[in-house]
Amino acid sequence: MTRASGFKKSRQKSRRRVSRLDDAVADALGETADEVHRAGLENIDAMVGKKTGRLRRGYRKRLSRKSLKALVGYVSAAARRSAFYARFVHDGTSKAKARPYHDHAVLEYEGKHRARMRGANAAALDDRAAPSGTGRAGGSRERSIT
């Protein structure tokens, strides 16, 4: 009878891979949140004519590394109350045109964020985390199934 071995080491490797992925994703989310926040503030300055400072003061960013969430905008209830009119400035009204400072900032960094997420995945699944030889299909050369 043959005994299988290496399960403990395999489980440890898998746990390390998950923690590396979480760290890389959190870093990428933080970078994206920083860039979107900065671009949003620049857009507020460029798009809004009358500047009281409420839109800028309430426009914040928040990163939770534990739950892997990044928020940019009016993230607290106090900020939403203070800049209640921000949604009307952003989306417009029947008498005022829309000034979508946040949407433009998000769209500007959407592609870069996707690339960061792919990079985070690649960093977590580096060559040390490659599948074993038995998990690979095709051996040393590819074979056609037809």
Side-chain angles (χ1 to χ4, degrees), residues 19-84:
S19 67
R20 278 197 317 256
L21 179 61
D22 286 349
D23 291 342
V25 166
D27 292 341
L29 284 172
E31 290 174 25
T32 300
D34 290 343
E35 288 180 344
V36 169
H37 181 253
R38 183 178 30 76
L41 290 175
E42 290 171 2
N43 290 345
I44 287 173
D45 291 340
M47 292 180 174
V48 177
K50 185 177 177 184
K51 294 178 177 70
T52 63
R54 283 187 182 174
L55 284 177
R56 254 185 98 74
R57 262 194 313 272
Y59 194 76
R60 302 287 176 141
K61 62 184 174 188
R62 182 178 295 163
L63 174 67
S64 171
R65 294 182 80 83
K66 185 176 180 181
S67 64
L68 297 176
K69 273 188 192 172
L71 302 172
V72 177
Y74 300 94
V75 295
S76 69
R80 286 191 296 275
R81 278 192 306 272
S82 173
F84 172 75

Side-chain angles (χ1 to χ4, degrees), residues 85-134:
Y85 70 98
R87 72 183 74 172
F88 305 119
V89 173
H90 187 272
D91 298 333
T93 64
S94 63
K95 299 188 191 272
K97 68 178 178 122
R99 291 166 277 191
Y101 51 89
H102 181 72
D103 287 350
H104 287 304
V106 169
L107 289 173
E108 182 179 347
Y109 290 101
E110 183 179 20
K112 206 170 184 182
H113 176 67
R114 286 184 185 168
R116 277 193 190 108
M117 288 295 121
R118 281 192 298 274
N121 193 32
L125 299 174
D126 60 0
D127 58 340
R128 291 174 294 173
S132 67
T134 59

